[in-house]
Structures are given as C-alpha cells and as structure tokens.
Amino acid sequence: MSENLTPPPPSPRLLMLYRIRRMMPRIDRGQRAEVQVLLRNASHPNFDFFILVVLSSIIATLGLLTDSPAVIIGAMLVAPLMSPIIGLGLASLTADGRLLGSAASALIRGALLAIVISFLISAINRLLPLIALQAQDLPGEVLARTHPSPIDLGIALAGGMAAAFALAMPNISAALPGVAIATALMPPLCTVGIGLAWGRQDITGGALLLFVTNAVTIAFAAILVFSALGFSPRRKEGAGLFPRSLQIAALLTLILMIPLTLFSVRFVQEATSDRTIAQVIDENVRAFGDAELVEWDSNQDAGTLKINITMRTNKPLRLEDSIAFQKAVGGNLHAQGVLGDNEKVQVVINQVLAERLDPLIPPTSTHTPTVTFTPTPGPSATPSLTPTPTATYTPSPTSSPTATITPTATPVPTDTPTPALALGASASLPSFRLRQSPEGPAIGPALRTGSPLTVLYGVQIVDGLVWVEVQDSEGRVGWVPQIYLKLITPTPTRTPSLTPTALTPTSSPTPP
C-alpha cells in the first residue's frame, strides 16, 4: 500500500520573503554578474580612482573655505567614493572576498587621501591667507557638516537604496548623479581635514561621525536592496529570513543612532539657548531708545557666560548704563532657565556712534544757545535817608539842638568774575580738535594755534589727561585737552562805593 506524501507547508517567514520578491523586478543571473563586474571595476583602487579623489577633494575643500554650495555640489559629482561603499554591501551579501578587499582598500585609502589634501590646502591658506578666515569664524558650509543627526541617517538610507537600485537597473542609471549629491561623502572628509588644520576637535569629530554614518548606512541600504533583488546566495535549510550580513549591517546602523541622537539633542539645546539669549539682548538694547543691535556672540568660560555686543547709538553711553544692562540681561537669563544659579554673566558693549538721517524728513533747525559773558557790576550802594538837623523855634531863648549824624554802611569792594577765555596753544597728540567726548570722535576741523576759545564748566580726567569743555568761535561745544589751552586771566573790576560825609553842626539864631 503506497502512502501519499505531501510537502510540508512553507513557513510564514518564507511566504513573506516570497511576496516581497514577487513585488520586485526580476533580474536574471547574467544581469547580476554584470552588476558584480561593474562594481569590481568601479571599486578597484587604480590610478583613475585616485585622480578623481584628488580632484574632488581639491574642489570640495576650496568650496568649503569659500562657502560656495555650487562648488561643493561639483565636488560631489566628481567624487568616486559611492561605488566602493556599494561594493562593500554587495560583497558582504554575496561573500565575494575579492570584491570585499578591493572595495575596502579603495574606500580607506581614498578617504585618507582626501583628508590629507584638505589638511594641506587649509594649512597653506593659514600661512598665506588667500581666504581670510578665523578659527572661531569658519564658513557656514563647514559648520553645517559638524552636527550630524538622525535626519542625515535617513537621507543616507534612502540615497543608498536609490544608488543600489540604479546600479542594478541600467535603464535608470541616470539617477546616480542626484544620489551622489544627496549622500555627500567627500565634503565631510574635507571638513575633517579643515578641522585638523585649524585645531578644532569639535569640527573634526562631528564631520568624521557624519562620514561614518553615511558610509555605514549606504552599505546597509545596498545590502537591503541587493538582497531583495535576489543577489544573495542560496540559503541553507533552517537559515533566517534575512542574510547574516544584512543583520550585522542593520545592527551597526542602529548603533549609530545613539551618538546621532545625542548630537541632535545637544544641538537643539544650544539652538534654543542661543535664541533665548538673542531675544533677551534685543529687548534690553531697545530699552536704550534709539539704540540698534548690530551683532553679538557669546561663549562659556569657567561658569561665566561672556557676551560681546556691538550696538549703534546716537548718543554716548555711560558706565552706569552698561552695568544696568548687564544686570538686566543676567536677571532675564536666570529667570528663563538659560543660566544656572551659580553661573554669571559678563557683558562687553562695543558702541558705534551714528547719526540717523532720513531724506524724507528734513532736519529741523535747532537754536544753539551762544554763551555770552557780560561783566556784572558789583553791588551798588543803597541810598539811605539821613535825618537833616532842623532848628526848632522856642519862645524862650534856648540853645538849639545839635544835628545827629546817622552812620551808613559802606559796602566792601569785591572782585567780579569774568568769562574764562583761552587761546589754543601748540599741540602734538592727540590732534587739536573739538571732540564729542573726551577721546571721542572729532566734531570739527583742526584748531589753529591762537584760536580763541571759551572755557565752560565741564572737566574730566581720562587716562591721566585732563579734558575741559570749551566753545569755539562758531558756537560748537566740545572737549579738548587742557594742556593745549593758554588761559587769559581777566583783571578784576572793583566796584565804587559811597562813603558817608559827616555833617558839621551849626547853631541856629534864636528868634526874637
């Protein structure tokens, strides 16, 4: 009696893989062999490969230093690093040892060559500054490649899948240039060299992490696409649903999510803090009235937030204004949680004096009072009534009374102050000019020796030099060093006073 043998039903995992493959286009064995040969030739570290690496690294470095996105895009199109990374993915999937060694060698040597070239170009630029740069003020295109995030991982994943699919499908290979632009590989490597040349470890570390993220994610995406297209070898009985190389690549990609997430969180915190600081500074600058914020920057140093501000005003600020500004900024930052309880704020204000002119609003004429010094006479004698002796008639012969003299106070002569006049003397440094404030900007042409000036009442000592407030012959009021003046001492005017004269008593005749 014969038994009816039926094969066991396929497992759910095999059914899922079978359905996925049914959705993908079919690639025969000959086409798969052509893709492997193509990647072997493109991933081989020959002379052509290194020439393209040298040229693309030069273009990318100069584009980064000049902050030119168009030049950087050109370097992405020339760079040949995409092929070795995709070749690593295919070699890991198909266990092709020859392709694996060739692609790994090309990728490592090409990456090191790009870093060395960018380092040399940046170091030469520091010695011969053809492009004026500072270590703390690198271009935005350089800084943009130092803060990798999970978004960059997602871009590399999609770009790697598109590149692998375009290589496997010759009819859509025209999409490869766009993929090379999206998955930037050469600019991060050149940014590493720039960071090394400028001694910026944060630039070097961030750019290197971005390159590793792109390389690992593109390789993982290539393994995923090639596995779905049927490039994986025949699996043994009991093997998992996905090849082991794909599992390892997926694990490495997930591990990269940890530093990328930490970078993203820190970057978001810094951006939020900078936005709050900028808002607080702008609000306090507007409190000055006509002040305008030009720029600002900040840095942390031993628990102190140092803020450097440049503002434009139309009147000079005082030291009291800067102290009040620093207290207001520190209080607002502590209240909004930007600074901790033990952190302090140090504010340095760079003031730019400017006058605002609007062609649609003509300036109104302003009367400038001219100080005129008029000699004031001293106190005048006040006339007092002095009794005049009068003869009194009496019926009997009596002696007439004598006249009584009433004394009158005599004012004491006083010196009357006169205007303080001065003549300009010879001057060296600083130049003999009227200035808006001591050591401030000049407000008029140079004064000549012997120029008449009127000394006012303002006196200030700045850096050991005495400055006095004066007015020139044209009515301008400003400040000049006192050593440049020759004072004219006026002669005091004495005020005449009235001296009382004693009256001589006389006898009156007695009427009969």
Side-chain angles (χ1 to χ4, degrees):
M1 184 177 177
S2 61
E3 296 181 357
N4 188 13
L5 300 177
T6 58
S11 63
R13 292 185 299 176
L14 292 178
L15 287 175
M16 181 183 300
L17 182 60
Y18 178 75
R19 291 170 181 172
I20 293 176
R21 287 186 175 180
R22 287 292 300 270
M23 296 174 59
M24 301 294 295
R26 295 183 178 181
I27 299 179
D28 55 15
R29 182 176 298 179
Q31 190 174 353
R32 291 199 296 268
E34 291 179 0
V35 173
Q36 286 182 319
V37 173
L38 176 63
L39 285 177
R40 283 179 184 176
N41 295 332
S43 304
H44 185 66
N46 52 16
F47 180 80
D48 297 339
F49 176 82
F50 290 116
I51 281 293
L52 291 179
V53 169
V54 171
L55 296 178
S56 62
S57 60
I58 293 175
I59 297 173
T61 303
L62 295 179
L64 290 169
L65 294 178
T66 57
D67 204 16
S68 175
V71 177
I72 298 173
I73 291 175
M76 297 176 188
L77 296 176
V78 178
L81 297 179
M82 176 71 75
S83 296
I85 296 177
I86 297 179
L88 284 175
L90 181 59
S92 301
L93 182 65
T94 60
D96 188 345
R98 180 182 175 184
L99 177 59
L100 181 65
S102 177
S105 175
L107 179 61
I108 295 175
R109 293 161 66 182
L112 292 177
L113 180 60
I115 293 175
V116 170
I117 291 176
S118 63
F119 173 80
L120 292 177
I121 294 176
S122 302
I124 293 174
N125 184 73
R126 291 194 64 182
L127 297 177
L128 303 173
L130 302 177
I131 304 173
L133 294 175
Q134 299 294 330
Q136 303 300 326
D137 190 21
L138 293 176
E141 290 292 334
V142 175
L143 299 178
R145 287 161 176 83
T146 60
H147 298 89
S149 66
I151 296 178
D152 297 300
L153 189 146
I155 295 174
L157 180 62
M161 295 176 67
F165 192 74
L167 284 173
M169 298 294 177
N171 56 333
I172 59 173
S173 59
L176 284 175
V179 174
I181 295 174
T183 56
L185 294 170
M186 187 59 69
L189 288 175
C190 296
T191 304
V192 172
I194 294 174
L196 292 175
W198 288 99
R200 292 284 302 273
Q201 297 181 0
D202 55 337
I203 300 292
T204 301
L208 185 59
L209 178 59
L210 177 59
F211 173 76
V212 172
T213 300
N214 289 341
V216 173
T217 308
I218 291 173
F220 165 67
I223 295 174
L224 187 62
V225 171
F226 288 141
S227 175
L229 292 177
F231 280 81
S232 58
R234 187 181 302 273
R235 289 186 298 276
K236 298 179 181 180
E237 186 69 24
L241 178 62
F242 300 104
R244 184 174 180 82
S245 58
L246 180 60
Q247 298 176 12
I248 296 175
L251 179 62
L252 293 177
T253 305
L254 291 176
I255 292 176
L256 283 175
M257 286 293 294
I258 299 175
L260 294 179
T261 303
L262 294 178
F263 261 93
S264 299
V265 171
R266 190 177 70 176
F267 180 73
V268 171
Q269 291 177 348
E270 292 177 355
T272 303
S273 176
D274 290 343
R275 184 170 60 251
T276 304
I277 294 174
Q279 182 180 359
V280 169
I281 292 176
D282 186 66
E283 291 176 355
N284 285 276
V285 168
R286 294 179 183 275
F288 283 113
D290 294 333
E292 179 182 354
L293 180 63
V294 178
E295 61 180 0
W296 70 276
D297 60 81
S298 64
N299 60 83
Q300 286 279 355
D301 185 12
T304 301
L305 177 62
K306 296 183 178 181
I307 302 176
N308 197 324
I309 300 174
T310 301
M311 67 172 65
R312 186 181 295 111
T313 61
N314 58 3
K315 60 181 179 180
L317 302 178
R318 301 174 301 172
L319 178 61
E320 294 78 4
D321 298 330
S322 63
I323 295 176
F325 183 85
Q326 178 174 286
K327 290 182 178 179
V329 171
N332 292 335
L333 293 180
H334 280 98
Q336 299 190 27
V338 177
L339 298 178
D341 296 335
N342 297 327
E343 292 182 315
K344 300 179 181 179
V345 176
Q346 179 181 349
V347 178
V348 176
I349 300 178
N350 302 306
Q351 180 186 4
V352 179
L353 293 177
E355 184 69 23
R356 187 183 301 275
L357 299 176
D358 190 348
L360 299 179
I361 305 177
T364 57
S365 57
T366 304
H367 174 69
T368 304
T370 303
V371 181
T372 304
F373 292 94
T374 304
T376 304
S380 303
T382 303
S384 58
L385 297 178
T386 304
T388 304
T390 305
T392 304
Y393 176 79
T394 55
S396 57
T398 56
S399 60
S400 57
T402 59
T404 304
I405 300 175
T406 303
T408 304
T410 302
V412 179
T414 57
D415 295 334
T416 303
T418 57
L421 302 177
L423 297 177
S426 59
S428 56
L429 292 176
S431 60
F432 190 25
R433 293 184 175 215
L434 284 180
R435 299 187 178 274
Q436 189 176 17
S437 60
E439 297 187 355
I443 60 174
L447 299 175
R448 299 180 180 179
T449 303
S451 300
L453 298 172
T454 302
V455 181
L456 304 181
Y457 304 102
V459 178
Q460 292 188 20
I461 300 177
V462 179
D463 295 335
L465 187 64
V466 180
W467 293 76
V468 295
E469 189 179 17
V470 299
Q471 182 183 26
D472 63 1
S473 58
E474 297 183 5
R476 291 187 292 261
V477 178
W479 296 78
V480 296
Q482 190 180 30
I483 59 174
Y484 294 170
L485 300 179
K486 182 179 180 182
L487 297 178
I488 302 176
T489 306
T491 305
T493 304
R494 302 185 63 86
T495 303
S497 59
L498 298 179
T499 305
T501 304
L503 297 178
T504 304
T506 56
S507 300
S508 300
T510 302

